[in-house]
Amino acid sequence: MLRNRRDWQSLAYLIALPLLAAYLWRHPELSLLNALLYGLLLFLTLGTGVIHHNHAHLRIWNGRQLNRLTDFWITLLQGHPTFVFYPAHNGNHHRYRHGPLDVARTYRFGGDTNHLLGYLLHPVQAALVLYPLIWRWLLRMRRRHAGVSRYFLRQYLAVALLWMLLAWLDWHKFLLLVLLPQLHGLHWLLATNYLQHAHTDGHSPTDFARNFEGPVNPLLFNIGLHTAHHRHPRAHWTQLPALHQRYRHLVHPQLNAGPLLPYMFRTFILSLLWPHRASRSLMQPGKKNAN
């Protein structure tokens, strides 16, 4: 019943995350093993965010009921509703592709930047402009499709009930094993926009996104192959490597950034010591100032 059999990897992440949290809840002792397992827990919050992204573009299952159950499962794991991707990501980011109408474009906040402070601030800045967009969309849905809006609001209710139950059981463990990992996942979900688009050209038909290669892609469902994803948003994630080869030579060489972690190290850390390592914007000055 899976749309693509490779989504066993997605299901494995979605099952492993709560099982790992439950194990650490039951075994809270300080040990090297538990420290490693907690690191794995944090990694799985990244994977869940990518799975959420993929599920919003192309549903995992062929059946409606299984897809709805997956919506609620991801909602509970992430601590925020899955429906927010439709107005904030599909209806905004993919529609305007980091252009002047994209409300969370990176060059909207403090100029066209690509540095450590900008990366750290972007999730907060993006949330402040995306949530009003989400609530306006939800109000429109309430007027036009009341049943659909009730379905979406039930996702908020599910999160609230789970949080209250876990906090009642043990609020220390809830903060450490549930809320903090969820915030970690949310940070990466929003900060990825900065990694993939800061100092790209939001006015260009080809140079609006940055691509990453290396281990990030097999581990996180080819999330680094961003130009191909924008060009083919409903392509399954397993198709992106082949599509990436079609576009790789068409984008500015600076936007094929290699592996993710070395890119972050040289862009956000080395550039503080050696300014010549700093990122350079591809957007023309006049266009930066116009937004």
Side-chain angles (χ1 to χ4, degrees):
M1 298 182 70
L2 286 172
R3 192 178 297 273
N4 187 298
R5 63 182 181 180
R6 284 287 304 281
D7 273 320
W8 64 263
Q9 183 180 351
S10 305
L11 298 182
Y13 282 33
L14 294 178
I15 294 170
L17 177 58
L19 290 179
L20 190 53
Y23 174 84
L24 292 171
W25 189 291
R26 293 288 302 275
H27 303 277
E29 59 272 8
L30 294 176
S31 67
L32 176 60
L33 174 61
N34 279 5
L36 294 174
L37 292 178
Y38 193 75
L40 178 58
L41 178 73
L42 295 180
F43 167 77
L44 289 173
T45 65
L46 273 69
T48 300
V50 179
I51 294 164
H52 175 194
H53 166 267
N54 295 342
H55 184 60
H57 281 287
L58 184 67
R59 311 288 269 169
I60 290 176
W61 305 94
N62 288 311
R64 179 182 180 186
Q65 293 305 316
L66 283 174
N67 282 320
R68 288 199 164 192
L69 285 173
T70 303
D71 285 344
F72 274 91
W73 190 246
I74 295 174
T75 290
L76 294 175
L77 293 180
Q78 288 192 135
H80 63 87
T82 55
F83 82 84
V84 299
F85 251 84
Y86 297 111
H89 185 75
N90 296 14
N92 169 62
H93 182 59
H94 270 266
R95 182 178 182 182
Y96 299 119
R97 284 195 318 206
H98 197 54
L101 297 180
D102 185 341
V103 300
R105 59 194 182 277
T106 62
Y107 51 95
R108 178 179 183 176
F109 311 105
D112 188 18
T113 66
N114 190 15
H115 48 54
L116 181 60
L117 182 61
Y119 164 76
L120 294 173
L121 289 177
H122 184 74
V124 177
Q125 295 166 332
L128 289 175
V129 297
L130 287 173
Y131 252 91
L133 176 72
I134 291 165
W135 281 107
R136 288 196 299 270
W137 181 82
L138 193 57
L139 289 173
R140 289 198 301 271
M141 292 297 295
R142 183 180 179 184
R143 290 194 296 268
R144 299 173 186 175
H145 306 284
V148 176
S149 69
R150 286 194 295 271
Y151 171 70
F152 292 152
L153 288 172
R154 283 197 293 270
Q155 294 180 6
Y156 278 111
L157 179 61
V159 170
L161 291 175
L162 179 64
W163 279 2
M164 287 189 292
L165 173 62
L166 295 177
W168 175 74
L169 290 173
D170 190 318
W171 70 269
H172 292 94
K173 291 179 181 178
F174 164 70
L175 292 177
L176 181 64
L177 299 175
V178 179
L179 188 60
L180 184 60
Q182 287 178 343
L183 291 174
H184 173 263
L186 182 59
H187 164 83
W188 280 94
L189 190 67
L190 294 169
T192 297
N193 185 62
Y194 196 86
L195 296 171
Q196 292 171 331
H197 293 285
H199 273 180
T200 66
D201 186 351
H203 299 268
S204 170
T206 56
D207 294 337
F208 54 84
R210 180 176 290 104
N211 300 295
F212 300 104
E213 296 166 328
V216 67
N217 291 312
L219 289 173
L220 292 174
F221 311 95
N222 295 320
I223 192 63
L225 309 180
H226 205 52
T227 302
H229 169 63
H230 266 279
R231 291 290 189 176
H232 303 272
R234 286 189 55 80
H236 192 267
W237 59 268
T238 55
Q239 299 174 286
L240 293 180
L243 292 170
H244 173 62
Q245 294 306 315
R246 184 188 304 180
Y247 297 106
R248 194 179 192 281
H249 69 285
L250 299 177
V251 303
H252 192 285
Q254 179 178 311
L255 298 180
N256 293 315
L260 173 62
L261 293 181
Y263 163 82
M264 293 181 69
F265 180 71
R266 66 175 181 267
T267 303
F268 299 149
I269 306 301
L270 287 184
S271 64
L272 298 175
L273 304 174
W274 294 282
H276 68 278
R277 293 275 190 173
S279 174
R280 300 287 184 266
S281 177
L282 296 181
M283 199 179 304
Q284 298 175 14
K287 291 182 178 179
K288 296 181 200 179
N289 298 332
N291 297 296

